[in-house]
Amino acid sequence: MTETHATITPGAPVFPPGRYGRRREPGRRRPALVALLATALVAALGLAAFSMYGKYGDPAYDAQVITYTDITDSQVVVDFRVTVPAGGSATCVLRARSHDGAEVAREEVTVTARPGESRAAARHRLATTARPFIGEVVRCRQAD
C-alpha cells in the first residue's frame, strides 16, 4: 500500500521518504534578467561587427579588371582600375590562374590616384610559373 498525504496534488508522483533526498522547489524565472543579458549580448555583437566592418570591410576600395593581355607561358599583363578615396592609394592583390584553376602567380601592387581624383588605372605584368588562363584582382585595401 502506498502512502498518500493531503498536501500532494492528485497525479503527482509519490516518492518514498528519505530515498531520493530533499526535493527542490521549482526555480523562480527572471525574464527581466534574461532580456537584459540578451540585449547586452546583441549590443556587444553589433559593436564588434561595426568595428570589424570599419577596419576590414571598407567598400571605398573597389577594383575592376579592364583586360588581361600578353598571355605567354611565363606572364600575363593585367589592366585594372581601382576606386579609392580622392587622392588616396590602395594595395591590390593580383593573381593569375591556369586553365585548371591552379594559382600560377600572386603579387601585391600599390596604386595611387592623382590628387583630387578617386579612380586610378594601372597595368601590371605578372610573372607566372606556368601558362596562365586568366589574370584577376583578388581584393584591394588601403595602402600601408
Side-chain angles (χ1 to χ4, degrees), residues 84-134:
V84 297
S89 59
T91 300
C92 297
V93 177
L94 304 178
R95 76 174 172 184
R97 292 189 297 159
S98 63
H99 194 66
D100 64 356
E103 188 174 284
V104 293
R106 178 180 282 257
E107 279 187 54
E108 284 193 1
V109 178
T110 301
V111 178
T112 304
R114 294 182 184 151
E117 292 187 11
S118 62
R119 284 191 167 190
R123 170 179 272 199
H124 186 75
R125 185 183 77 80
L126 281 169
T128 62
T129 58
R131 185 170 185 83
F133 176 70
I134 190 171

Side-chain angles (χ1 to χ4, degrees), residues 27-43:
R28 222 181 66 180
R29 295 183 188 238
R30 295 184 175 105
L33 179 62
V34 172
L36 180 66
L37 290 174
T39 303
L41 179 65
V42 168

Side-chain angles (χ1 to χ4, degrees), residues 1 4-5 23 37 40 43 46 52 54 57 61-62 67 73 79-80 90 92 94 100 112 116 122 143-144:
M1 178 171 339
T4 58
H5 298 285
R23 291 189 48 91
L37 290 174
M52 292 300 238
Y61 298 92
D62 183 37
T67 185
D73 288 339
D79 291 309
F80 62 101
C92 297
L94 304 178
D100 64 356
T112 304
D144 296 330

